[in-house]
Amino acid sequence: MSVEKDKAAEELRSGGIQVIARASAIMRALGAQPQGLSLAAIAQAVGLPRSTVQRIIAALEVEKLVEALPGSGYRLGPALGELIHQAHGDIISIARQSLEDLGETLGETVVLSCIRGQQTHAIFRVIGENELRVVIPLGRSMPMHATADGKVLLSTLTDDSIVQWLTPAPQKLTANTLALPALLEQITQIRGTGIALDNEEHTPGVSAISVLLPTLMGPHAVSVVAPTARFVTRKDEFRQALEAVRDAIGQSRA
């Protein structure tokens, strides 16, 4: 097995664009199924012979980009998580000052998030200074269909991908949670504006507004989260502030 892995690793390093494209397709297939996939399922998902998939998987295992599951099957490996963490660290270092200034100016909670495991995942936050404030736990993953950052991140996907991720009946968390047809209609609008709202769709009494922040490591979202009583009177102010922060962070990355 060690010889096979070494052979596959060499093929992945020297085989050129085709092997890289195939390895990328395999990793994307695994990324879409966090619970893992069998070799047969991976081969079906990427349209390659099982023997080809097995050789590439073996090479990815060597680099810890893929790991075997107990029994059978594979999932993305720890090395990929380390790379993502490093990339997020770069994004946070670029955005930190702008986000801290935004939180201080508005007095509300500000969150930087990304997609992880088909949910929205908070990677940086600034807690608002108001006595009544919303605290988003750092590292918390939340459903994408019922949050402002989740919706703005979903807008980067096709409608078919969104339906596949959410299923035809996403969980209704509050009376305001949108059903899938209404969500898809709203996401069409979000694609044009880069702005999404959460009108107590995840938590009663809490609303949010998010702006899409494209980065080299994929889409991110910056959100302002506040009690609805304050949010409704300051929504336009929050939107203008988020658009300014998006532009400022974009310029600092240029």
Side-chain angles (χ1 to χ4, degrees):
M1 185 65 180
S2 177
V3 173
E4 181 182 3
K5 287 184 178 181
D6 290 344
K7 179 181 177 181
E10 179 60 26
E11 178 184 356
L12 186 59
R13 293 188 188 100
S14 62
I17 295 174
Q18 184 183 56
V19 174
I20 293 173
R22 288 175 171 180
S24 297
I26 289 170
M27 293 179 69
R28 289 192 183 96
L30 291 174
Q33 300 294 334
Q35 75 277 11
L37 290 171
S38 66
L39 281 174
I42 297 169
Q44 182 177 10
V46 300
L48 291 172
R50 176 171 172 153
S51 59
T52 300
V53 170
Q54 187 169 15
R55 289 198 303 272
I56 296 174
I57 284 285
L60 293 172
E61 271 195 280
V62 171
E63 304 298 334
K64 298 184 179 179
L65 292 169
V66 164
E67 64 181 359
L69 293 170
S72 64
Y74 296 88
R75 65 183 176 190
L76 293 178
L80 185 63
E82 293 170 5
L83 292 172
I84 292 172
H85 177 75
Q86 292 168 1
H88 287 331
D90 291 341
I91 293 165
I92 291 170
S93 66
I94 291 170
R96 179 187 295 273
Q97 190 60 57
S98 294
L99 300 181
E100 290 178 347
D101 290 346
L102 178 64
E104 181 178 354
T105 299
L106 298 179
E108 303 290 358
T109 295
V110 173
V111 182
L112 176 66
S113 54
C114 65
I115 298 173
R116 183 175 296 176
Q118 298 183 5
Q119 290 191 312
T120 174
H121 186 80
I123 61 173
F124 182 75
R125 66 179 184 178
V126 179
I127 303 300
E129 293 299 327
N130 279 291
E131 184 173 343
L132 180 62
R133 58 189 177 179
V134 180
V135 177
I136 304 296
L138 193 60
R140 182 180 182 183
S141 294
M142 300 176 70
M144 300 185 74
H145 69 284
T147 53
D149 57 340
K151 287 191 285 184
V152 83
L153 291 168
L154 281 175
S155 74
T156 65
L157 306 176
T158 65
D159 284 359
D160 288 344
S161 295
I162 293 171
V163 172
Q164 183 179 5
W165 278 26
L166 299 182
T167 73
Q171 183 180 6
K172 192 169 181 64
L173 301 172
T174 74
N176 290 356
T177 305
L178 298 177
L180 185 59
L183 176 64
L184 292 174
E185 183 178 350
Q186 190 176 101
I187 284 177
T188 298
Q189 300 172 354
I190 294 168
R191 291 189 181 111
T193 64
I195 297 285
L197 295 171
D198 163 12
N199 178 31
E200 298 189 353
E201 295 162 44
H202 180 271
T203 304
V206 176
S207 295
I209 181 170
S210 297
V211 63
L212 181 64
L213 181 67
T215 76
L216 294 176
M217 288 301 296
H220 287 67
V222 179
S223 308
V224 177
V225 189
T228 300
R230 285 200 306 270
F231 185 89
V232 294
T233 63
R234 303 184 67 191
K235 180 172 62 176
D236 290 342
E237 177 189 358
F238 294 163
R239 177 177 183 141
Q240 292 172 8
L242 281 172
E243 290 175 337
V245 164
R246 176 191 60 196
D247 295 343
I249 294 174
Q251 290 173 4
S252 66
R253 297 200 321 269

